[in-house]
Structure formats: C-alpha cells, structure tokens
C-alpha cells in the first residue's frame, strides 16, 4: 500500500467533472445508501453499502470503485469515468475483465456545502482512524473523527498565511485554503504531501506550498496567522507507524509542537492542536499543560476524554490490527506499552483540544490560560465559539469590579433556565442555566444570579439591575454589589452573558 506510486493530479479537473456528474458527493452518497448504510461506513462496515450499490448506475460504480475498493466491470467504469485518462494518470488499474482503484477517494462536504474529495490510501478512509487495521509504516489516512473535530474548532477568519503541520491527506489544508491567501502544508512523510496535492486538486482548491520535514523544521523562522495540526499524538513505545506515533518519548511531541508555536504566530494569530497528554502520578494534569503554553500566548485547553493505560493500549493495538496477530506477539506488544507507562509513572492519558492566541496582553505578562475538563456534547463547528471565548477573556482582563458593574450585558441566545428540586417543594433546591449552542455548558446559580441573567437585555447597567434585585429581595444593595461581580465574571467567561455597549 505505502510503496505504490500515486496518481498524477494534472487532469484532476476532468475526473472531478465526472464525479460531480454522477452525484458522487456527500449528499449523493446519503441519498443512494440511506442513513443506516451511510452510518455503517463510519464503523468500517461495508456490507450495507455493497447491497445498496448493486444497480449498476455511474454512482453505484464510483462508490464501489473508490470508496468500497471493489473491482468493477470495464463497461461500467467507462460509463462513469474518463477511463483512459484515469488509467494513464494512475487513478485506476485494469485487467482484461475489471477495473480497480489505486487510491481511496471519499466525498466530503465543505462548511458552505462545497463538494470536496479526500484522497488517501486504500482502506484508510472508511472508518477513519477508528481501526484501519494497518501496520504499514507510510500509510496515509483519510478523514476520521479527529480530522473533523480539528476542522470544526478552528477559527475561520480571513488570514494571509496558514500552516498545516503534519498535513496527512490534506483535509486541514483544504479547509484553510478557503480563508487563507497562502497555505503551507508540511509532513515528515513525502507520500502524505503527494496525497495532499491530490486532495486539493480533485477538490478544485488552490494549490498549497508543500514542504517535507518534522514539525516546524520545514518552515524555519517563518510566521503565520493560523497554525493547525492533527499530529501523530499517540503515546506509544516507539515510532512504528508514522501516521499516529510521535516518535518522541511520552507526550513530548505534542509538548514541543505547542511550545514552539508561539515563535511562529503573528500577533492576533491562532494555533489549534489535537493532542494527547500523560496523567502522571504526583502531578496535576492541569499544571503539566500550563507549562506547555508559550510566552506571549493566551490558551484555552479542553480535556475531552481520559483513558486508563490499559484502555489506551488496547485502543491503539486494535487500531493497527495487532489484536489479530499471533497471541504471543500481541501479548508482547501489550506488555511493551504497559512497561513504557510504568517507567514514566503514567496512570492515564488525556485527549483534547489546545488553542493558542498570540496577544499583546500575554506578551506583557498577563496571559489568559483556561484549562478545563468538558467531556459533554458540544455543537460543532465551534470556531466562532472559540473566537468568542478569547474576545470575552480580553474584555474581562480590562474590567475591574467597578467597570463590570457599569457594564451592560445581554443573555446569550438559547440559554434556558432549569429549576431542580423535590416535587411539590415551594422553592427549588437550585437553579441551572443551560446553553443549547456552542459548548452547551450548564452552571448553577442562586436566586440573584438567575434574576440578574433573566433581565439582562442590554438596557440597564449591571449595578442598576442589582439595586433593583436588592430592593425586591430586601437585601443591602451595597453588600449585593460587593459580592456579585465574581458571579458576573463567571457568567461572562462561560458565555452565558455577552458584554456590549449601552443600549440605544
């Protein structure tokens, strides 16, 4: 798989026209396969899709050929493709009886409904990284859950320059090409750069500046407005698989990638990473990650999941198909993972998102570093929510308590109030504010907090609202003003309240 030559991208527009004409798109696949068979593909199950593509239409043929990697008869391939060109350019091979794909081509819908295509090694798009069962060194994956997560959390403001570190099959570079004037993509694996070139060409996107090398080595001291990376973050004993194993000890690759990003970001620029990190005996994981944040950068780090070391080892041994090898070999590999964790005093592994923003306030010694655990469901894409988080941090850094009480606030869209208590009780035990957008947070508030949030429509300053609440509740307004700013800060920080100029 990893040693075969790859197609030439020069005549990709002709192939793209044929794919679009046959409705070989994300929407077309869903219409053809139906929701159950479409969902089964994400679980690496192809039988429902094979049953749904027995009709022989050009779309049936393309799904079988490029997505399911099944041979198709010559006449059907000729009806669906510019076959002679595809053979000559290396997209397919043929025998006297049938045609086979040389690469995996997966339809992918862009954020504004664009019809894109992700090109990867055979068998490495269906199911993504959830268990490709490949132990080949140079294999290049297609779209997986990690890829789409990173694309969703990235801030998508127009920028001059963007850098995709460890581009793989090019999905992050493809997204960046829509809002960056120039995209640079790097990878240690030269085969990955070839796949990125194919992905961009077949998707009708601008070409990227492709450079081979590890981490930031290919770009030297160049700086960027946006950096994205879905790196080989797996913490493993060795660097057996380029697509997933970092090749450095423990979580050093992710730490290095984050720490060195500060020197390569322009003022106001964002860097987004997916990462794994160790939970080490005797060390708070939050302290470990705060040490990764480079000088001059604000940070928002969200831990989405934690696995104990046995769960983690089993996940990645299955990913590479080791559970299907000789039992003694599997046991030896499992032992090697546990030996590595034991030597590093690692009791668990966290997974999540790391976002940096270069800011003048951070450079002046007043960074905003928020590190939290949030394993609950969120609403993707989150790019606008990520940007809003940093905007709120800027606002809060500039407001003392007096300024906060003079400020005007609006309740964020789709925030609801829930009252929790025993049935029939006169008063609730507590009140919860819950977001239905973005991070979908929930927070407990007291009666003052609930009343305050409920009347925030931007009309009155916070202090005036508190004075009215004090009068209604027979409380001392001075004491209420003294104790409430911290609660207001929390509601603003978590996005329940949006600061703004005075109404009217």
């Amino acid at each position: 798989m990893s040693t075969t030559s790859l197609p030439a991208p020069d005549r990709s527009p002709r192939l793209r026209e044929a794919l679009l004409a046959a409705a070989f798109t994300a929407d077309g696949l869903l219409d053809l396969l139906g929701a159950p068979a479409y969902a089964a593909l994400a679980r690496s199950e192809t039988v429902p899709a094979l049953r749904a593509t027995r009709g022989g239409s050009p779309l049936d043929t393309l799904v079988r050929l490029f997505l399911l990697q099944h041979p198709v008869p010559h006449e059907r391939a000729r009806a669906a493709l510019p076959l002679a060109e595809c053979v000559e350019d290396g997209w397919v091979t043929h025998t006297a009886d049938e045609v086979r794909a040389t690469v995996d081509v997966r339809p992918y819908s862009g954020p504004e409904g664009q019809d894109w295509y992700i090109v990867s090694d055979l068998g490495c798009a269906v199911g993504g990284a959830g268990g490709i069962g490949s132990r080949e060194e140079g294999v290049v994956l297609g779209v997986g859950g990690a890829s789409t997560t990173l694309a969703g959390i990235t801030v998508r403001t127009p920028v001059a320059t963007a850098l995709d570190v460890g581009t793989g099959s090019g999905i992050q570079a493809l997204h960046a090409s829509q809002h960056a004037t120039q995209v640079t993509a790097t990878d240690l694996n030269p085969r990955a750069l070839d796949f990125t070139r194919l992905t961009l060409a077949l998707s009708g996107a601008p070409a990227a500046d492709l450079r081979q090398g590890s981490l930031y080595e290919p770009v030297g001291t160049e700086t960027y407005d946006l950096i994205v990376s879905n790196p080989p973050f797996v913490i493993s004993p060795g660097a057996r698989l380029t697509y997933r194993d970092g090749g450095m000890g423990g979580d050093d690759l992710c730490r290095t990638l984050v720490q060195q990003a500060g020197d390569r970001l322009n003022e106001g620029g964002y860097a987004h990473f997916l990462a794994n990190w160790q939970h080490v005996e005797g060390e708070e994981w939050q302290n470990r990650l705060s040490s990764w944040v480079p000088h001059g950068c604000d940070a928002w780090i969200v831990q989405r999941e934690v696995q104990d070391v046995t769960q983690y080892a089993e996940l990645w041994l299955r990913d590479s198909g080791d559970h299907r090898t000789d039992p003694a070999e599997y046991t030896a590999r499992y032992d090697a993972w546990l030996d590595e964790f034991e030597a590093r005093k690692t009791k668990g592994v966290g997974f999540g998102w790391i976002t940096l923003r270069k800011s003048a306030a951070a450079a002046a010694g007043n960074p905003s570093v928020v590190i939290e655990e949030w394993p609950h469901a969120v609403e993707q894409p989150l790019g606008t929510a990520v940007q809003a988080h940093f905007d709120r941090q800027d606002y809060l850094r500039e407001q003392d308590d007096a300024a906060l009480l003079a400020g005007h606030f609006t309740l964020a869209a789709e925030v609801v109030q829930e009252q929790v208590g025993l049935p029939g009780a006169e008063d609730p035990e507590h009140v919860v504010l819950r977001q239905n957008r973005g991070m979908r947070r929930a927070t407990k508030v007291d009666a003052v907090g609930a009343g305050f949030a409920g009347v925030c429509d931007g009309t009155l300053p916070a202090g005036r609202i508190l004075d009215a609440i004090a009068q209604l509740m027979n409380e001392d307004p001075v004491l209420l003003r003294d104790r409430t700013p911290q609660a207001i800060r929390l509601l603003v920080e978590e996005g329940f309240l949006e600061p703004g100029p005075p109404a009217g």
Side-chain angles (χ1 to χ4, degrees):
M1 180 189 301
S2 59
T3 58
T4 58
S5 59
L6 294 180
D10 298 347
R11 289 188 284 194
S12 295
R14 284 285 306 279
L15 175 56
R16 175 176 171 79
E17 289 175 8
L19 300 181
L20 292 175
F24 186 60
T25 64
D27 289 342
L29 282 183
L30 183 58
D31 289 342
L32 173 69
L33 302 180
Y38 192 79
L41 287 178
R43 303 191 300 269
S44 302
E45 296 291 348
T46 60
V47 172
L50 285 169
R51 291 174 62 86
T53 55
R54 293 179 292 191
S57 72
L59 180 55
D60 292 325
T61 298
L62 293 174
V63 172
R64 286 184 165 237
L65 182 65
F66 284 122
L67 196 58
L68 305 180
Q69 286 91 56
H70 270 248
V72 299
H74 264 267
E75 63 274 12
R76 290 187 179 176
R78 193 173 293 109
L81 293 167
L83 184 57
E85 286 183 8
C86 287
V87 170
E88 183 179 345
D89 292 345
W91 292 95
V92 299
T93 60
H94 69 105
T95 64
D97 300 319
E98 59 189 21
V99 176
R100 289 181 177 270
T102 61
V103 291
D104 195 315
V105 178
R106 176 170 177 164
Y108 179 81
S109 182
E112 297 178 0
Q114 302 99 321
D115 290 316
W116 289 342
Y117 298 96
I118 310 299
V119 189
S120 65
D121 270 312
L122 290 172
C124 296
V126 175
I132 65 166
S134 173
R135 291 178 288 161
E136 296 198 42
E137 168 64 19
V139 69
V140 177
L141 300 189
V143 179
S147 302
T148 54
T149 294
L150 179 59
I153 67 172
T154 300
V155 175
R156 297 295 176 191
T157 53
V159 295
T161 55
L163 172 65
D164 176 14
V165 180
T167 187
S169 56
I171 180 175
Q172 308 306 328
L174 179 58
H175 275 277
S177 72
Q178 303 304 292
H179 63 103
T181 304
Q182 176 61 53
V183 176
T184 300
T186 72
D187 206 288
L188 182 63
N189 181 3
R191 186 176 176 82
L193 299 178
D194 290 336
F195 272 116
T196 294
R197 185 178 292 109
L198 292 172
T199 289
L200 294 173
L202 194 58
S203 298
D209 178 6
L210 304 177
R211 306 186 193 181
Q212 183 185 354
S214 177
L215 301 181
Y216 300 109
E217 179 187 35
V219 301
T221 59
E222 295 174 30
T223 58
Y224 299 86
D225 302 315
L226 173 68
I227 298 173
V228 292
S229 183
N230 177 18
F233 52 65
V234 176
I235 299 171
S236 60
R240 190 162 55 124
L241 301 175
T242 302
Y243 73 86
R244 71 170 203 191
D245 298 326
M248 297 184 184
D251 51 18
D252 282 356
L253 182 135
C254 290
R255 175 185 56 79
T256 301
L257 187 64
V258 174
Q259 286 182 334
Q260 294 182 359
D263 292 333
R264 290 166 177 83
L265 274 178
N266 294 326
E267 179 71 19
Y270 287 90
H272 302 274
F273 308 99
L274 298 187
N276 277 181
W277 43 81
Q278 297 167 193
H279 283 228
V280 178
E281 292 180 17
E283 177 187 44
E284 295 293 331
W285 67 270
Q286 295 94 334
N287 294 338
R288 184 180 193 85
L289 288 175
S290 67
S291 72
W292 292 12
V293 179
H295 175 73
C297 288
D298 302 316
W300 185 20
I301 301 173
V302 182
Q303 179 168 274
R304 296 287 288 159
E305 181 182 6
V306 183
Q307 292 183 313
D308 67 47
V309 293
T310 59
Q311 291 174 312
Y312 189 80
E314 291 161 13
L315 169 68
W316 294 109
L317 287 168
R318 289 192 180 98
D319 171 80
S320 54
D322 286 299
H323 61 302
R324 295 192 292 267
T325 63
D326 175 72
E329 181 182 346
Y330 175 76
T331 298
R333 290 199 182 279
Y334 200 152
D335 268 334
W337 283 70
L338 297 185
D339 287 343
E340 177 80 3
F341 289 132
E342 186 176 331
R344 295 182 178 278
K345 298 183 178 179
T346 301
K347 58 184 180 179
V349 178
F351 168 80
W353 320 324
I354 298 176
T355 297
L356 306 176
R357 185 192 57 169
K358 194 77 170 280
S359 79
N366 187 24
S368 165
V369 178
V370 176
I371 301 175
E372 61 176 321
E373 187 164 17
W374 189 252
H376 310 293
V378 299
E379 180 193 44
Q380 285 276 32
L382 270 171
T384 55
V386 171
Q387 186 176 13
H389 166 88
F390 287 96
D391 290 343
R392 293 193 299 270
Q393 294 299 319
D394 286 342
Y395 171 83
L396 291 171
R397 270 190 293 215
E398 297 168 357
Q399 311 296 313
D400 60 17
D401 286 356
L404 207 63
L405 291 174
H408 294 243
F409 301 94
T410 303
L411 187 67
E414 296 193 39
V415 171
V416 297
Q417 175 179 304
E418 300 173 356
Q419 297 187 171
V420 180
L422 293 173
E426 183 175 344
D427 296 312
E429 292 180 17
H430 59 262
V431 176
V432 173
L433 298 183
R434 187 178 303 277
Q435 301 168 351
N436 287 316
R437 304 298 302 272
M439 292 292 286
R440 293 178 173 164
R441 296 186 186 276
T443 188
K444 288 184 183 180
V445 292
D446 60 14
V448 172
F452 179 84
V455 298
C456 279
D457 60 3
T459 304
L460 296 174
R464 289 272 303 279
I465 295 174
L466 290 178
D467 291 343
I469 292 175
Q471 186 175 3
L472 286 171
M473 300 181 69
N474 294 318
E475 291 205 30
D476 185 327
V478 175
L479 293 179
L480 194 61
R481 278 176 173 252
D482 284 345
R483 77 167 194 255
T484 307
Q486 188 57 39
I488 296 175
R489 286 185 185 278
L490 180 62
L491 291 174
V492 172
E493 181 174 342
E494 294 192 341
F496 291 94
L497 295 178
E498 297 175 349

